[in-house]
Amino acid sequence: PPQDAYVSEYVSGQGYSIVPEVEGMELNPDLVLKKAEEAVQTLRTELSLDEEGCYKEPAVKSDDPQLKERADNLNRYVNVTVTYKFGDKQEVLDGDTIHQWLITDGGNMDISLEGVKGYVQTLATKYNTAYRAKTLKTSYGPEVTITRGNYGWRIDQAAEAEQLIGIIRSGESQEREPVYAQTAASHGPNDYGDTYVEINLTAQHLYFYKEGKLLVESDFVSGNVARGYTTPPGAYPLTYKERNATLRGQGYASPVSYWMPFNGGIGMHD
């Protein structure tokens, strides 16, 4: 029997191609009978089935415009390369992964949103640092592990999945950073970088480092534990910095010259 031309399976590094039709050797019985009758009536002693077109033809040939359009569309998607940058590390998304997300339904083609979301989730699992343990080489000697706090990188997975689908559909390769819901200072071993405040709640002493250099150290007083004003440990970003603020709570209103909240209503102030 004849075999129709079709679009190949994905081949790594090559993409999709059109596999040509196979003519086959299956006869059209009705047409053979008709041509044989004509040959007998005209006293012909030979009949070329090829010349008379008596073999069944493939329904789809390699020059079919719709077949070519489908292959071109598939290749437009899988030829996209998206290089994600995470500091000195990178993740490369290419056709070897993208082809698994392509959905074809008749003449329609789309990209699996679930597949894209799953990929973005793997990036978040690998590179998010918010809410994860951090190490700190303290100013007083030992290295400590900080297990609490929300400081760090956090990918906005829904926004990034939407962006990524748009990039693939555009057919344009690019380098990018993902859409972040929250950023940090560094992609290095310590995401807080080299400018930070180190607060020792036990010793009631703090250190302020800027670009790795100690600029300020000072005693301080943290929240009164007995009154339920405990200052929780952890790694936090400054929410904002305010000059000449008034701190208000139940039964008090305290004017301060400097106010730097980092955990809800908890912050540093004079």
Side-chain angles (χ1 to χ4, degrees):
Q3 298 175 23
D4 292 345
Y6 62 93
V7 177
S8 72
E9 296 295 322
Y10 173 81
V11 178
S12 180
Q14 299 179 29
Y16 295 90
S17 60
I18 295 177
V19 179
E21 70 277 6
V22 175
E23 296 291 344
M25 298 184 67
E26 184 175 2
L27 293 169
N28 182 331
D30 292 338
L31 190 56
V32 171
L33 181 58
K34 177 183 177 183
K35 294 297 181 181
E37 288 176 344
E38 292 175 356
V40 170
Q41 291 169 0
T42 57
L43 303 179
R44 291 165 58 193
T45 59
E46 292 184 356
L47 177 66
S48 171
L49 299 180
D50 275 325
E51 292 176 2
E52 298 294 343
C54 292
Y55 291 100
K56 290 185 177 180
E57 293 279 334
V60 181
K61 296 190 176 182
S62 56
D63 59 356
D64 183 87
Q66 291 183 338
L67 193 66
K68 184 177 185 304
E69 181 182 11
R70 182 165 176 263
D72 289 345
N73 286 337
L74 288 167
N75 282 323
R76 189 176 84 251
Y77 291 155
V78 299
N79 286 338
V80 171
T81 299
V82 181
T83 304
Y84 282 97
K85 295 289 188 179
F86 299 93
D88 59 356
K89 296 180 180 179
Q90 66 180 33
E91 295 284 335
V92 179
L93 171 67
D94 56 23
D96 288 355
T97 300
I98 294 172
H99 85 276
Q100 302 173 40
W101 304 339
L102 300 184
I103 303 170
T104 55
D105 180 15
N108 299 321
M109 188 179 306
D110 204 357
I111 302 167
S112 167
L113 178 59
E114 293 306 311
V116 175
K117 284 182 175 179
Y119 178 79
V120 173
Q121 186 177 42
T122 62
L123 294 180
T125 300
K126 187 173 182 179
Y127 291 102
N128 278 3
T129 61
Y131 302 99
R132 294 183 181 174
K134 309 177 193 308
T135 58
L136 172 68
K137 181 66 171 67
T138 64
S139 301
Y140 50 94
E143 184 175 87
V144 297
T145 299
I146 304 167
T147 59
R148 299 181 184 178
N150 62 349
Y151 186 85
W153 299 96
R154 185 161 59 89
I155 295 173
D156 186 330
Q157 296 185 44
E160 182 55 33
E162 184 177 345
Q163 290 276 320
L164 183 53
I165 281 186
I167 292 168
I168 297 171
R169 285 176 175 156
S170 75
E172 299 293 332
S173 299
Q174 62 176 258
E175 290 186 358
R176 66 182 277 103
E177 285 194 344
V179 180
Y180 284 108
Q182 181 175 301
T183 60
S186 171
H187 280 291
N190 293 316
D191 59 6
Y192 50 81
D194 56 8
T195 297
Y196 58 90
V197 179
E198 173 190 342
I199 297 175
N200 187 326
L201 291 169
T202 303
Q204 297 284 280
H205 200 79
L206 65 78
Y207 308 83
F208 171 50
Y209 290 90
K210 184 174 182 180
E211 297 176 355
K213 295 180 180 180
L214 178 63
L215 286 191
V216 175
E217 65 171 299
S218 172
D219 289 335
F220 70 89
V221 177
S222 60
N224 191 318
V225 177
R227 296 183 180 180
Y229 297 145
T230 304
T231 300
Y236 303 94
L238 283 184
T239 309
Y240 58 87
K241 295 185 283 187
E242 185 177 358
R243 193 80 164 83
N244 299 322
T246 299
L247 307 184
R248 301 180 186 277
Q250 187 173 358
Y252 72 87
S254 300
V256 297
S257 298
Y258 303 94
W259 169 232
M260 292 171 283
F262 57 80
N263 181 14
I266 298 171
M268 293 177 284
H269 59 87
D270 60 312

